[in-house]
Amino acid sequence: MKTVSTRGNLISTDNVEGTEVYGTGNEHIGEIHSLVVDKRSGQILYAMMSFGGFLGLGKSYYPIPWSALSYDPEQGGYRTDLTEAQVKNAPVLDPDSLFENTDDDWNRRLYKHYGMRGYWDQS
């Protein structure tokens, strides 16, 4: 279990990766595998969550909108109001082929799955 430093307001992405994510009722629902950034805008689109597996084999990866996560210093991890079921019903992505299989329409569908607006829809 990785605990994120609570000093300061900035964090390196290598410290975010591996950090635990907790849902409602302190339920552990996974950990952050990586962050996905829109290279044109610089916005973080989503965190790739990982579930399951044993010794790194058989893990599944699910994207969660970055805006759905908030850091909880007491927990030393991230919190979300999303349930594990919502996340597991989201589109699954293979991190190795992530950039070949997604586009702006896919990102919009993902955010719609979670009932959230992407940064591109903010006014």
Side-chain angles (χ1 to χ4, degrees):
M1 174 199 288
K2 186 176 209 174
T3 302
V4 178
S5 171
T6 58
R7 295 181 319 192
N9 291 327
L10 302 177
I11 188 167
S12 173
T13 58
D14 65 339
N15 285 323
V16 175
E17 294 170 0
T19 302
E20 307 295 330
V21 176
Y22 300 90
T24 55
N26 291 328
E27 172 192 16
H28 175 261
I29 62 171
E31 68 181 39
I32 296 175
H33 174 266
S34 60
L35 299 178
V36 177
V37 178
D38 180 314
K39 65 183 173 184
R40 290 173 285 192
S41 70
Q43 296 285 321
I44 297 173
L45 288 184
Y46 40 87
M48 291 293 288
M49 290 266 303
S50 62
F51 291 98
F54 181 70
L55 298 176
L57 301 172
K59 281 190 174 184
S60 296
Y61 299 92
Y62 300 86
I64 294 180
W66 182 244
S67 57
L69 297 168
S70 61
Y71 183 68
D72 180 347
E74 290 182 19
Q75 191 68 42
Y78 289 88
R79 291 207 174 275
T80 184
D81 290 334
L82 303 174
T83 66
E84 186 173 356
Q86 280 179 294
V87 175
K88 287 186 174 181
N89 286 324
V92 179
L93 281 175
D94 175 358
D96 295 330
S97 63
L98 170 69
F99 305 107
E100 300 165 10
N101 297 326
T102 61
D103 58 19
D104 291 341
D105 288 335
W106 189 92
N107 291 325
R108 290 179 195 285
R109 287 191 307 273
L110 175 72
Y111 273 72
K112 185 176 180 180
H113 167 80
Y114 288 115
M116 301 182 74
R117 291 176 29 191
Y119 73 87
W120 54 85
D121 289 331
Q122 305 298 319
S123 47

